Amino acid sequence: MSRLNELRMIARVAQMYHVENQRQADIAKHLRISQATISRMLKRAQEEEIVRTTVVAPSGTYADLEAALRDKYDLSEAIVVECSEDRDGAIMARIGEAAAHFVEATLQPGEIIGVSSWSETILKMVDNIHPMKSGKAKFVVQTLGGMGDPTVQIHANQLTTRLARLTGAEAFLLSAPGVAQSREAKLVLSGDAYVRETMDLFEKVTLAIVGIGAIEPSSMLARSGNVFSTRELAAVKEAGGVGDVSLRFFDIDGNPVKTPLDERVIGMTLAELARIDRVIALAGGQSKTRAIQGALKAGIIDLLVTDKFTAGRLVSDVHDQIQSE
């Protein structure tokens, strides 16, 4: 009987605190009990399941899919966005909006941001970031060569410089093509003082924002000229490649696909990316599902922002069986 009386008192304290919204100090004064005892009773209310916590996901959010992605791919976080149709344009816009909010909310003072600038989805993210009243980031570093067709290059450069301006940071552009004509040309270009200055910052990046590409390049990357030939990409496929991050290829299990093409890319490597504290990937769509799966298995991504259709495919056992065939 004494236990029942004890639980009755605990339930009353819980009611006053959680339902009547009274402060602990006021409850203590009302019941003539110390505030420390009130605090212990509230904790006990949870242990006895007198108080149970229920999180109701708002409409348009996908907590179960996010949890499944975190569990399956060992992600620190996953963001799954609402999207009315499984179409690239709509998907990129929604992913960009969600990523912008997350970056704004979690950016740390003095952050050094690395950004892969040949990404339409990242461009959508930058379009949705609000200017920060007090500068938070220190540098925004371009992690893949930004020179290419002038009509497209302006987007890549603006992406980096705009992100720097919005976050109160200093921009470091990688003033070289993403793909050099040869290994020797890469060595010459990488020796430029300004290029070297930017590349030396790679090891200091604390937050990397990347896109994930299928073997077939995105329209923005293709227009830039920073791509390999059809024959070269066919060789990557034959070697098991399913996708890339900043033109560094990997297979469906996340293993790097090493080819001579690697020696022509001017930008961050997968090994350098893996050492960064936080890596946020923005990607979605039917055509990129295999590439996203490979990138997640590579262990280089900490947080994925994707759409509900792609998330469903990524967590589906049926999808895995198809990919292994």
Side-chain angles (χ1 to χ4, degrees), residues 215-228:
I215 296 296
E216 296 75 17
S218 68
S219 58
M220 183 178 182
L221 188 59
R223 294 196 308 272
S224 77
N226 286 293
V227 290
F228 298 109

Side-chain angles (χ1 to χ4, degrees), residues 8-303:
R8 181 186 292 110
M9 176 65 80
I10 291 171
R12 175 58 183 145
V13 168
Q15 181 186 38
M16 294 172 76
Y17 183 74
H18 292 288
V19 180
E20 299 172 11
N21 296 317
Q22 294 191 43
R23 295 183 303 133
Q24 289 189 34
D26 294 334
I27 298 171
K29 184 177 179 181
H30 177 77
L31 294 176
R32 309 301 198 271
I33 300 174
S34 73
Q35 191 168 335
T37 300
I38 294 296
S39 180
R40 286 195 295 272
M41 291 172 79
L42 289 170
K43 182 179 180 182
R44 179 84 180 280
Q46 291 183 312
E47 293 171 351
E48 296 285 352
E49 295 190 337
I50 293 169
V51 173
R52 303 178 187 184
T53 302
T54 302
V55 177
V56 180
S59 176
T61 64
Y62 299 91
D64 290 345
L65 272 177
E66 290 170 350
L69 284 170
R70 290 194 302 269
D71 292 344
K72 183 169 183 176
Y73 296 103
D74 195 26
L75 296 168
S76 63
E77 288 297 332
I79 297 173
V80 176
V81 301
E82 173 64 81
C83 201
S84 58
E85 52 187 322
D86 198 358
R87 185 174 54 83
D88 287 353
I91 287 171
M92 286 190 291
R94 299 290 83 78
I95 290 174
E97 290 169 4
H101 180 271
F102 185 85
V103 169
E104 286 181 20
T106 65
L107 193 66
Q108 299 297 300
E111 199 99 72
I112 298 178
I113 305 171
V115 62
S116 175
S117 55
W118 296 109
S119 168
E120 292 179 83
T121 311
I122 297 177
L123 188 59
K124 295 290 185 186
M125 180 200 77
V126 174
D127 287 341
N128 283 279
I129 289 180
H130 298 91
M132 298 185 182
K133 293 180 181 178
S134 55
K136 285 191 173 183
K138 186 176 183 180
F139 304 134
V140 172
V141 182
Q142 193 169 1
T143 57
L144 178 63
M147 293 181 67
D149 186 308
T151 61
V152 184
Q153 181 184 327
I154 189 170
H155 292 292
N157 290 351
Q158 282 186 350
L159 188 157
T160 304
T161 55
R162 280 178 58 211
L163 182 58
R165 186 170 65 252
L166 289 165
T167 57
E170 180 182 355
F172 280 81
L173 298 175
L174 192 52
S175 302
V179 179
Q181 291 299 311
S182 64
R183 178 178 178 276
E184 291 71 27
K186 173 187 171 177
L187 292 173
V188 172
L189 291 164
S190 300
D192 177 85
Y194 293 107
V195 172
R196 193 73 260 155
E197 182 182 27
T198 297
M199 295 183 75
D200 284 344
L201 286 172
F202 287 179
E203 64 182 24
K204 298 180 180 179
V205 169
T206 58
L207 167 64
I209 303 170
V210 301
I212 299 173
I215 296 296
E216 296 75 17
S218 68
S219 58
M220 183 178 182
L221 188 59
R223 294 196 308 272
S224 77
N226 286 293
V227 290
F228 298 109
S229 70
T230 303
R231 179 179 55 80
E232 290 169 330
L233 291 176
V236 172
K237 275 188 175 180
E238 287 177 15
V242 296
D244 77 281
V245 171
S246 297
L247 298 179
R248 307 294 185 177
F249 297 100
F250 45 79
D251 64 20
I252 194 64
D253 295 315
N255 302 308
V257 173
K258 290 290 185 181
T259 72
L261 305 183
D262 241 11
E263 299 180 355
R264 292 167 49 199
V265 177
I266 301 177
M268 186 174 281
T269 65
L270 294 179
E272 288 172 322
L273 197 63
R275 289 194 290 266
I276 296 171
D277 186 47
R278 283 201 304 162
V279 178
I280 301 176
L282 283 56
Q286 175 77 50
S287 64
K288 288 188 177 182
T289 304
R290 281 171 59 81
I292 297 168
Q293 190 174 45
L296 294 178
K297 289 185 176 181
I300 56 175
I301 307 299
D302 299 295
L303 183 142

